[in-house]
Amino acid sequence: MTILITTSHKPSPRLRSFVKDLASVIPGSLKLNRGKKTLEDLLYDAIELNADRLIIVGEKKGNPGSIRVYLVDREEETLRELAYYSIKGVKLSRENPYATRIYNPTILMIDSSNVKSNVEEEFIDIFSRSFKAKIHVGSLEEIAGKVDVLAIPRWDGKIIKLFFMNPSTRKLGGPVIKFSRVMDFEKNKSIP
């Protein structure tokens, strides 16, 4: 199955770069230029491309501002909102001198080995459902060479910071994202 990733209308260059970064760390993702397409047009594009997720990245003052995740029901030809991520800030991979490119990832895991709060636990749950990531508990040595991308969430009491890492090289890759709030529509719950 495919994850279709696109932007809001008239994206800024920074938003386009962020979507490119995000697509580079999400296995099975396909970046689509939105143009003038409506939500209904995007639904039919997702059905045609056999996608089971549609991700729309929104903009706020020229920067990435939100991520909306929809489940695609091909039989009913409908979209159901799964999650809404409010973005506080991002650091693009090109802005991080230590980041390396992760090529053609096939397996994404989210790290739950150092969870210190309920907020991190709830974030791991919604992230794994949103982006079809497996949940990892254990050491990096166990997954090195078997997993292409490891997502690492950290809660500092105000925001959730999400890093992406290549477990084999232990180097960061992709964007660093700060989330101020996440809404889980399946559980009708807001994090934090």
Side-chain angles (χ1 to χ4, degrees), residues 1-4 27-28 46-47 49-55 69-74 78-80 82 129-132:
M1 293 292 175
T2 304
I3 296 177
L4 193 60
I47 290 169
L49 295 166
N50 201 27
D52 61 351
R53 300 280 189 286
L54 170 63
I55 296 172
V69 181
Y70 296 91
L71 292 172
V72 179
D73 186 331
R74 289 186 295 283
T78 59
L79 292 173
R80 191 174 83 240
L82 172 63
R129 287 184 283 125
S130 295
F131 297 97
K132 300 190 292 186

Side-chain angles (χ1 to χ4, degrees), residues 4 17 23 27 32 39 63 65 82 84 99-100 111-112 117-119 145 147 179 183 190:
L4 193 60
S17 292
L32 178 74
L39 196 57
N63 290 304
L82 172 63
Y84 174 84
T100 60
D111 183 37
S112 66
S117 71
N118 287 342
V119 171
V147 173
F179 297 106
M183 184 66 192
S190 181

Side-chain angles (χ1 to χ4, degrees), residues 11 21 23 26 30 70 72 75 79 99 125 159 176 192:
D21 267 4
I26 306 296
L30 180 62
Y70 296 91
V72 179
E75 289 178 17
L79 292 173
D125 176 56
I159 60 165
V176 176

Side-chain angles (χ1 to χ4, degrees), residues 39-40 62 71 95 103 116 124 131 139 156 159-160 190:
L39 196 57
E40 186 176 2
L71 292 172
E95 298 166 345
Y103 293 97
K116 296 179 178 75
I124 288 167
F131 297 97
S139 69
D156 71 0
I159 60 165
I160 299 166
S190 181

Side-chain angles (χ1 to χ4, degrees), residues 88 155-160 179-181 192:
K88 178 117 174 125
W155 166 247
D156 71 0
K158 294 180 184 173
I159 60 165
I160 299 166
F179 297 106
S180 58
R181 186 175 64 89

Side-chain angles (χ1 to χ4, degrees), residues 111 113 136-144 150 167 170:
D111 183 37
S113 58
H136 169 67
V137 179
S139 69
L140 285 177
E141 289 78 21
E142 295 170 357
I143 61 170
L150 182 66
R170 296 186 181 209

Side-chain angles (χ1 to χ4, degrees), residues 89-109:
V90 299
K91 186 175 199 175
L92 301 174
S93 59
R94 70 174 185 229
E95 298 166 345
N96 185 349
Y98 304 106
T100 60
R101 181 113 167 112
I102 299 172
Y103 293 97
N104 303 318
T106 55
I107 298 173
L108 169 66
M109 284 191 136

